[in-house]
Amino acid sequence: MTMEEKTKLLIALGAATAANCIPCFEHLYYEAGVAGLTSEEIQQVVDLASKVKNGAHIALKNSINDVMGLKEQHDLPCSAQSDCSC
């Protein structure tokens, strides 16, 4: 069973967003339009990828603060607290 093209493009758009790869996103955005993805579908995946990326950044900052012996901790942007990212 193969993944449908729209699903592949949504995953790739999310990955490009999380990786800060603007040329990748621009290329995939064009491909997504050709494949019939809507702006709303693309925005949903961009928003989700941004949340994951932000969670990973906060988890990194918390780990660095632990290593440095600092007490400052930041809440993760997830519904439940965790020792790891979203």
Side-chain angles (χ1 to χ4, degrees):
M1 174 186 276
T2 62
M3 194 181 316
E4 75 176 275
E5 189 64 23
K6 287 183 178 185
T7 302
K8 288 180 187 179
L9 285 167
L10 288 170
I11 291 169
L13 284 162
T17 299
N20 291 330
C21 185
I22 295 169
C24 294
F25 186 89
E26 289 173 346
H27 170 75
L28 292 163
Y29 182 78
Y30 169 77
E31 294 294 323
V34 171
L37 286 166
T38 66
S39 295
E40 292 79 19
E41 291 171 314
I42 295 168
Q43 188 62 56
Q44 284 180 342
V45 80
V46 167
D47 291 346
L48 180 58
S50 296
K51 287 179 184 179
V52 171
K53 181 178 177 174
N54 189 39
H57 178 72
I58 291 170
L60 172 67
K61 286 180 72 174
N62 288 343
S63 293
I64 290 170
N65 287 342
D66 286 347
V67 169
M68 295 178 64
L70 302 175
K71 295 184 191 265
E72 179 184 354
Q73 294 287 305
H74 301 276
D75 292 334
L76 292 175
C78 304
S79 59
Q81 291 297 305
S82 173
D83 291 335
C84 57
S85 184
C86 300

